Structure formats: structure tokens, C-alpha cells
Amino acid sequence: MERPFTFINSAMSADGKISTKERKQVRISGQIDFNRMDKLRAGSDAVMVGIGTVLADDPSLTVKSAELKEERIAAGKDENPARVVVDSKARTPVDADIFKKGEGKRIILISESAPADKVALLKKQATIVVAGKDSVDLKQAMSELKTQGIDRLMVEGGATLNWGMISNGLVDEIYTFLGNLIIGGKTAPTFTDGEGFSEKEIQKLELIDADKMEDGILIKWKVLANSKQ
Ligand SMILES: NC(=O)c1ccc[n+]([C@@H]2O[C@H](COP(=O)([O-])OP(=O)(O)OC[C@H]3O[C@@H](n4cnc5c(N)ncnc54)[C@H](O)[C@@H]3O)[C@@H](O)[C@H]2O)c1
Ligand SMILES: Nc1nc(=O)c(N)c(NC[C@H](O)[C@H](O)[C@H](O)COP(=O)(O)O)[nH]1
């Protein structure tokens, strides 16, 4: 099945959390890491998050650097990569920042269970892709993104979407900025929540790079093929 080259970029605390126990956003990255993230966005055909991240953080997922936007426009692209939300029940608010800020395509991935009235509203601002009965069938959805010309996909979380993508064998690389803070809390979202692997299915990684960056560490992993997927 054809799919985009896909990498997850995220930031997590030294104890593996990506936000607080109240799911409130914590600034984990320093400016250098945010600049690195901006470059990754500018170099991607699409940036994808789960609906939980949209509802918690209301991210714009836009490219911030004027220079990087100009480079994209000079290359005949929109100033921003396509913004994609994995949103089985079409809960993306119509006034979300991904709609209000910046130019570019918006794609909402929904399931057949999404209420028709909500889908009709979102259709006014986004391309709707239906994949799956209750939750989004990520394999089918990734194949559809590929047919829409998305060859390089950046996933920015959150915890449950990371699980969905990794457990379906849909991720090639993972870049994580490990910040110099402890968030704690057994209910705080981690890098990968969801059902979790059993001991026989553990996802193995190959270390690409580990570099000190400001007060943290940037770690890059290659995701190894998992015969269980
Ligand atoms: N530090 C970081 O880098 C970072 C990045 C993004 C989000 N976050 C944090 O993560 C939290 C959000 O994570 P989350 O887990 O609540 O939500 P999420 O963003 O991972 O969205 C998950 C939701 O997507 C929907 N979905 C539909 N089909 C799915 C499928 N097949 N697999 C997985 N999800 C599917 C479901 O409604 C699911 O609950 C927020 O607190 C946010 O601040 C942190
Ligand atoms: N890389 C990263 N470092 C962090 O310290 C942090 N808290 C997030 N959290 C994920 C967040 O939802 C988005 O990545 C942007 O932080 C939202 O900002 P935009 O409006 O999209 O630019 N991401």
C-alpha cells in the first residue's frame, strides 16, 4: 500500500510526558528546537495532528519563518503545508486556528460515524476524507493522502495519534526533543498512549542521532519494521 514518508516530531519532558495531567500545553522546546520544527514543517507536504491536540492546543500548524514561506511560494507551493486533522467524529471547531491562520490546504480525516451536519460545516473549509467505521482507518487514510500528492508527512502528535500511527506501522522516523523538565502525573499524556504493545510486539527503533541542544537532547530514531503489523 502506497503511503507518504512519515515522521513524528514531538517534544517531551525528561520523564516522557508531552503535556500536563490536565492536558495543558507546557513549553518544552527552546527557540532552537522551535526553529528546527519550523524548518521541518516548511519541508513537508502536510502536517498532521489528532483532534485531541486541536481541542487542547488549537495549533495553527503554520510555518513561522517569512523566508521559509517565500521559499515554498517560489517553489510553486502554498506558503504552508496542508494541515491534516485525524478527527473521526468531525469535532474540529469551525473557528479553529488551522482554518483562521495562514494559507494552504486543510484536510479532515473522518470516519463513517461522523455526524452529517458537522461534516457539512467542515466541508466549507476543508477537504473531507472518510476512512473507517468508528475511528479513522489510518492505513486507508495514509494511502488516500499519498494519492492526493502528499509524499512527505509530518505528524506532530498527540499521544493517542502517535500510538495509532506507530502501532499500524505507518511511521518511518521519530524526532523527539527531550526537555530539561519533569511533568509527572500518571494521567499526563506521554509520547505514545493508546492500548500499548504486549511484550511480544514491542516496537524496536534504531538510533540515528542524539545531540545536546540548548538544555535538552534531540533524539532521532528510525522505526524498524514490525512483523506484528
Ligand atoms: N509536546 C508535544 O510535542 C505535543 C504535541 C502534540 C500534542 N501534545 C499534547 O497531547 C495532548 C493531546 O493528545 P491526545 O492523545 O489527547 O489526542 P491526539 O491529538 O493524539 O488525538 C487523538 C484523537 O484522534 C482521534 N482518532 C481518530 N482515529 C484515530 C486513530 N485511528 N488513532 C488514534 N486517534 C484517532 C480520536 O478522537 C483520538 O482520541 C494534548 O495535551 C497536547 O497538548 C503535545
Ligand atoms: N514541538 C513542540 N514543542 C513544545 O514545547 C510543545 N509544547 C509542542 N506542542 C505541540 C503544539 O500543539 C504545536 O506543536 C505548537 O506548539 C502549536 O503552535 P503552532 O500554532 O502550531 O505554531 N510541540
Side-chain angles (χ1 to χ4, degrees):
M1 174 214 66
E2 280 276 85
R3 66 173 176 82
F5 172 85
T6 300
F7 63 93
I8 297 176
N9 185 77
S10 185
M12 69 182 175
S13 61
D15 59 326
K17 312 293 186 181
I18 61 172
S19 61
T20 69
K21 62 188 176 190
E22 290 92 13
R23 306 182 98 75
K24 290 280 177 267
Q25 192 172 167
V26 177
R27 180 161 171 137
I28 301 167
S29 300
Q31 195 52 51
I32 294 176
D33 189 49
F34 273 122
N35 294 344
R36 181 186 62 85
M37 180 172 82
D38 207 35
K39 273 203 191 85
L40 287 174
R41 287 183 178 174
S44 299
D45 297 314
V47 180
M48 183 167 85
V49 293
I51 183 60
T53 297
V54 170
L55 296 174
D57 301 353
D58 194 18
S60 64
L61 302 179
T62 52
V63 175
K64 299 298 179 288
S65 152
E67 191 186 335
L68 291 173
K69 283 191 278 194
E70 279 152 28
E71 278 173 23
R72 284 185 58 91
I73 291 168
K77 299 176 185 174
D78 289 327
E79 67 174 22
N80 292 300
R83 269 78 60 83
V84 183
V85 183
V86 179
D87 179 10
S88 33
K89 305 278 184 297
R91 291 186 291 156
T92 302
V94 289
D95 63 348
D97 270 3
I98 53 159
F99 294 131
K100 289 194 302 196
K101 293 187 176 170
E103 303 304 314
K105 274 186 80 171
R106 282 83 171 179
I107 302 170
I108 311 288
L109 307 177
I110 66 170
S111 72
E112 291 162 22
S113 66
D117 56 335
K118 293 201 170 176
V119 176
L121 279 176
L122 288 175
K123 218 170 225 170
K124 294 178 183 159
Q125 306 187 77
T127 301
I128 303 293
V129 172
V130 184
K133 262 183 85 49
D134 290 313
S135 63
V136 171
D137 178 329
L138 291 172
K139 286 184 176 172
Q140 185 186 334
M142 292 309 105
S143 171
E144 177 56 31
L145 291 184
K146 177 74 177 174
T147 52
Q148 292 197 18
I150 293 168
D151 296 323
R152 189 174 173 79
L153 173 65
M154 177 175 183
V155 176
E156 287 201 38
T160 311
L161 179 59
N162 288 348
W163 162 255
M165 293 296 285
I166 293 167
S167 60
N168 278 287
L170 296 169
V171 180
D172 299 291
E173 295 184 351
I174 294 173
Y175 315 141
T176 313
F177 177 75
L178 201 60
N180 61 319
L181 40 88
I182 297 282
I183 296 177
K186 66 180 176 184
T187 60
T190 68
F191 178 81
T192 315
D193 282 355
E195 189 189 329
F197 293 113
S198 65
E199 61 190 299
K200 293 190 182 63
E201 299 168 319
I202 296 292
Q203 177 59 59
K204 296 281 177 41
L205 305 172
E206 180 184 301
L207 184 63
I208 300 172
D209 249 346
D211 292 305
K212 185 176 181 306
M213 180 192 276
E214 292 174 296
D215 295 323
I217 304 171
L218 176 63
I219 306 176
K220 292 182 183 175
W221 299 102
K222 181 175 178 237
V223 181
L224 298 178
N226 186 332
S227 57
K228 298 276 176 289
Q229 283 141 2

